Amino acid sequence: MDVAVLGPLELRDRDGEALPVAGARLRALLILLALDANRVVSTERLIDGVWADEPPAAATNALQALVSRLRRTTAELVVEAMPNGYRLVIDADRVDVHRFLRLVQRSPAEALALWRGDLDFPEAARADAVRLIELKLAAQRRHLAEQMTRRDVVPELEGLVAADPLDERLVVLLIRALKGNGQVSRALEVFAETRRRLADQLGTDPSAELAELHLELLRADPPVRRGNLPAEVSSFVGRDSDVRTVKELIAGNRLVTLLGPGGSGKTRLSVEVGSRLPGEVWRVELAPLTDPTEIPQAIMTALGLRGQVQLGRPVAKAGDSLVEALAGREMLLILDNCEHLVAAAAEVGDALLRAAPGLRLLTTSREPLGIPGERLHAVEPLALPPVGAGASVASGFPSVRLLLDRAAAFRLADDNAEAVVRVCRALDGMPLAIELAAARLRTLPVAVLADRLADRFRLLTGGSRTALPRHQTLRAVVDWSWDLLGEGERRLWRRFALFHGGADVTMVERVCDTDVDLLAALVDKSLLVLGPDARYRMLETIREYGLERLAEAGETESQRLALARYLLALATEAEPHLRGRDQVAALGRLGEEHDNLHAAVRAAIDAGDGATAYALVARLGWYWWLSGHRIEGATLASEVTTLPYAAADSEDVGLSHTFAAINGLEGAIAIDEVQRHFFAAEAHGAGPDARHPGLRLIRPLAGVFEQPDASAGFEAVEPLFDDPDPWLRATARMITAHLRLNFGQSSESAAADMREALAGFRAIGERWGIGFSLSALGDMAAADGDFAQAVRWQYEALALVREVGIREDLPQMEVKLAHQLWMAGELAEARRMLKQSRQSAEEIGLPEVLASVQSGYATFARLEGNLDEARAAVAVAAERMENPTFAPQFRAQTRSTMGSIEAAAGDFSAARSHHAAALRLAVASRDQPVIAFALVGVADLALRQGDPEQAAFLLGAADAVRGSRDRSVPDTDRIIVQARAALGDAGFADAYGKAAEVTVATATEIAGF
C-alpha cells in the first residue's frame, strides 16, 4: 500500500492500482494521518483538519465514522484507534512525503522526482505544506547547482525565477549559469532587473552575495574575440534550446540556415548563437541590398576590407577578391536576410565554402539556399500556453515571458492571465508580433488588446524606430514576404488562406487550381508548414493577410464556392458510411476537415447562399451527433434554417431541420425550437417516400417526442420495421424498446426488441447502434438484478462509444456503469469509474453532463452516509439543471435525490417538498421509469416517518407504473426488508397489492401531493 500526498492525493494497492478516496473529508483525514505516519495524530487535530471551523455536534463520533469509511477503502490500510487519536500503521517509505524527507539532502534529484503537482493539504496542515515547498525549492536549487557544469540549466532557472523573481538565491544561480554559458551581458540584465524589482517591491538592495557576483561580472575580462556582432539592448527570451541545437549544427556542419517566416526571430537567434561561439564572428546584413552583385562588397565592408572589390562586376568575378581575402581565415560568417537575393547568396556562399576551409556560414532566410551540405533549422514560433492557463502556468511559457519582458510596466496576474494567453495564442507565438503587442500595452489594457487583434495589421504598429522598416509594423513584415513572390505563389497564398483547418495536397491542388511545385515553393519560403499528418497549414497572421489579398483580387466568392464544392463532395461521399461498418473511417475523414467544413457553413450563411448551406448541413448532421459536436451542430443547423430555401434541394432543407432537432434534443436549443424543427422537417420532404433515412425517421421520431400515448408512438414507428434501409430498421426496433419501457410495458418485450436492434446493428457493423443497444440491455439486466451481466454489457458499450468518439454520452454511461458496479458489490471499481466520469464531464463542459455526474456523486455519498457531501454535490447538479431547455426527467431525478438526502438527514419537511416537485416533473415528462423512481423516493420518506404500510403501497405503485420491479434503484431492497419486518409478509403483500391499479394519472394523488 502506497500513499502519495506530494500532489493530488493517491492511494495505490500493492499492484500499483489507484484506489479512489471519495470525498474531501476522507482525503483530508488520510493526508493528516500520512503526514505523521506511525505517529498518533490527536483527535483535535484531525477534527480541525477535516471540518475546520464547522465541526459537527458529535465531532468525535463523526470522526470515528469517517475513520471506519477510510478503513473500508482497502483492507491493506491499517488505521489504529489510540486513547487520544488515531495512527496510520505503514512502512514510512510507502508514504512519498517521508521518502522525500529522507532523500532531500543526499539525493535532491530522486527527492524531486516524487513531486507530482500542487499540494492539496487541508488548512490545518498549512505549516507542513509551507515547509515541504521550501524544502522542494531548496532541493531544486541544490540540484541545479550540481548540474550546472554538466548541462545547460538556464531554461529551468529562468522558469523558477519567473515564478518567484524576488528569490535572490535563484537569481544568483541563474546569473552563474548565464556566466558559465558566456552570456555575461544577459547575466548583467538579470541583475539589473532584480535590483529594480527589489527596490520597487521591497524597498531593499541586493544581498551581499548578489552584489559580489555583480562585481565579478563587471571585473571579468571579456573574451578576446573579433567580429562585429551588435550588443543587444534587450534580453534574449525563450530560445535557449534553439541556441544549443544551432551550436551543435555549426560544430558539425559548415553551412547552417535558419528558416522561418518574417518576425520569427531568425536574426536575433543568429546573433545570440554567434555571441556564444569562440573566435571570429562577423555578421553581414543583406536586407538593404537590391542588387545581387553587391553581396561580395557588403561582406568585405562588414569585415573591414573596403576597396578590395570593384562594384558592378558579376557576382562570380566580384567574389574572387573576397575568396582571396578569406581563404586562410577561420571564422563564422552570418549572412542575415538572404531571401530576396537567395540565388546570389547561394552562389557567393558556395564559392566561399569551397575556397576557405576554415569558414563556417550561418545564414537566415525564408527559404533554403540549396547548396550541397546545407543543414536547415526551422525557427518555430515560441511555445504557447494552453487555453485557460492561470498566471502561474502561463508565466512558464516563452511566448508569455517575451511579452512580459518587453512590456516592463505590465504585471501578469490571475485576473489578466486569460487575456495574456489570448494575445499570445492569437499571434501564433511569433516574437515580432508579440513585441509589437507589448508596445501596445503601454496604451491599451491587455483585455482590449486581446479583443481587437482581429484587426492586427492596423493595431500592431509602432515597433522600434531603429529596426529595419519592414520590422516596424506587422503588415510591413508580411508585405516583405509577399513582395518577394511570383504571381503564381501569391495566387496560391491568397487562395490557401481560405482553409481554416489546413489541407492535404489533393485538396490544395483542386481548390486552389495549383500544382505541387508552387506548394513546395511556399513551404520552402516558410509561408506554409507541412505537418506530420501530411496536411499543410498557415500561421494565423499569414492566413489573415492572405484573406485580405484574396478580397483585393476579387476572388473571395469564387474561392468560397470552389472550397464548398470540394467539401460538399467529400461530405456526400462520407455521409452514408456514418451508418455502417466504415463509420469510424468516415468520422475520421470528416473530422480532419472539421474546421474547414464549419467555416464553409459559416461563409455560406454570411453570403446568403442557402443552397450550399442547406446541402452542407444535410450531410454533416449525423456527423455532429456521432462526433460530439451536438451543440455546435444544432446551433449551425438552426441558423441555416433561417436562410431562404428556394434554390436549395427540398430534402436538404428537410434534413437541416431534422438535424437541428436531433442535435438540439439534449439542451442545445430550446424544447419548443426542437418541436418547431420536427414539424418544419415534415413540411420539407420528411416522410416514408423520402430518399434519406433521416427523413423517413423524423416523422416517427416527432410522434414519439409528442408521446400522447403508447399506441400513437408505436403506430408511428412500426412502419419502419420493413424499411429497406437496415440501419433504419434496427433504429426503429431500438426506439420501440425504449417506448415499451417508457410506457410501462413488458420488460421482456422491450428486451426482445432491443436484441433485434442489436442484431441489426451488428449485421451492418454500426458501432453507435451496437453500443447503445448493449447499454440499454445492460440497464434491463440491472433492473432484473443481474448486475454482473449489466456490467459486462456496459463495458462493451463504453468501448464502442469511445471508438466512435461520442464524447457527450460517455460521462453519463460511465456514471451508469459506476452505479451498476456499486450494486454488483465492486465498490472500488465503482468509485474509480465515477471519478473517470467526472474527468470526462469536465473535458466536455456541458452543464447537463456535469449535472448528471454530480448527481451520481450525490447518490454514492448518500449511500455511504456522507450527507454533507451528498447535499453539496446534488446542489451543484440542481443548479446546472435549472435551464428549462434540459429534459424534465433529469430535473425530476435530481429533485428526488435531494428529497432522499434530506429524508436521511431527518428533515422530513424539506424532503417532502423535494419529492413533491420531483413527482410533478416526472409525471409531466410522461416517462414512467422516472415516475417510478420518484415514487420509490416518496416510499423511503414514508418509511422514515414511521408509515411502513404507505411505504409498501408506494413501492407497489412504482412497480405498477413501471410495469415491473427495478432492482437497480438502490433503496428498493432496503425499503422492502424494513417494511416487511414491520408489517409481516402478509401485511406487506396486502399493502403492496393495493397499488396494482395505480397509473401515471393517479401517481401524484396517491402519493398525497
Side-chain angles (χ1 to χ4, degrees), residues 530-584:
L530 178 60
D533 57 355
R535 291 178 70 82
Y536 297 88
R537 290 179 174 82
M538 267 182 181
L539 293 175
E540 189 63 19
T541 296
I542 303 297
R543 200 181 69 79
E544 290 285 347
Y545 183 92
L547 290 175
E548 287 190 9
R549 292 293 189 174
L550 189 71
E552 287 177 10
E555 294 180 340
T556 300
E557 181 62 9
S558 61
Q559 284 305 116
R560 179 190 71 79
L561 290 171
L563 176 55
R565 283 193 295 270
Y566 181 91
L567 293 171
L568 195 53
L570 182 151
T572 300
E573 180 183 354
E575 202 272 345
H577 296 293
L578 295 173
R579 294 179 294 279
R581 65 184 70 259
D582 296 325
Q583 184 179 63
V584 173

Side-chain angles (χ1 to χ4, degrees), residues 456-578:
R456 65 190 68 195
F457 294 113
R458 184 187 63 81
L459 189 65
L460 299 184
T461 60
S464 170
R465 292 189 179 91
T466 62
L468 291 169
R470 69 170 191 264
H471 282 180
Q472 292 181 11
T473 72
L474 188 60
R475 178 175 295 283
V477 173
V478 191
D479 279 341
W480 172 259
S481 292
W482 178 266
D483 292 340
L484 296 177
L485 301 182
E487 182 50 41
E489 294 168 327
R490 292 178 182 180
R491 182 172 59 251
L492 176 55
W493 177 348
R494 65 181 181 249
R495 291 180 176 181
F496 189 98
L498 213 57
F499 296 121
H500 283 68
D504 60 26
V505 64
T506 302
M507 191 173 180
V508 177
E509 287 177 316
R510 293 185 183 176
V511 175
C512 300
D513 188 23
T514 189
D515 56 48
V516 292
D517 291 335
L518 285 173
L519 193 55
L522 289 195
V523 173
D524 281 343
K525 292 175 171 59
S526 306
L527 294 167
L528 287 178
V529 177
L530 178 60
D533 57 355
R535 291 178 70 82
Y536 297 88
R537 290 179 174 82
M538 267 182 181
L539 293 175
E540 189 63 19
T541 296
I542 303 297
R543 200 181 69 79
E544 290 285 347
Y545 183 92
L547 290 175
E548 287 190 9
R549 292 293 189 174
L550 189 71
E552 287 177 10
E555 294 180 340
T556 300
E557 181 62 9
S558 61
Q559 284 305 116
R560 179 190 71 79
L561 290 171
L563 176 55
R565 283 193 295 270
Y566 181 91
L567 293 171
L568 195 53
L570 182 151
T572 300
E573 180 183 354
E575 202 272 345
H577 296 293
L578 295 173

Side-chain angles (χ1 to χ4, degrees), residues 114-138:
L114 296 171
W115 283 73
R116 296 168 294 105
D118 294 336
L119 299 181
D120 189 24
F121 288 10
E123 184 65 25
R126 173 176 286 196
D128 300 86
V130 170
R131 172 171 164 263
L132 287 168
I133 291 169
E134 284 295 326
L135 287 171
K136 176 192 176 187
L137 186 55

Side-chain angles (χ1 to χ4, degrees), residues 558-628:
S558 61
Q559 284 305 116
R560 179 190 71 79
L561 290 171
L563 176 55
R565 283 193 295 270
Y566 181 91
L567 293 171
L568 195 53
L570 182 151
T572 300
E573 180 183 354
E575 202 272 345
H577 296 293
L578 295 173
R579 294 179 294 279
R581 65 184 70 259
D582 296 325
Q583 184 179 63
V584 173
L587 283 168
R589 185 68 187 99
L590 292 172
E592 287 176 346
E593 302 301 339
H594 177 88
D595 291 341
N596 288 326
L597 286 162
H598 281 217
V601 177
R602 285 278 174 210
I605 293 171
D606 293 342
D609 181 2
T612 299
Y614 282 110
L616 283 168
V617 170
R619 287 148 184 82
L620 294 176
W622 195 239
Y623 159 73
W624 288 330
W625 171 269
L626 291 174
S627 61

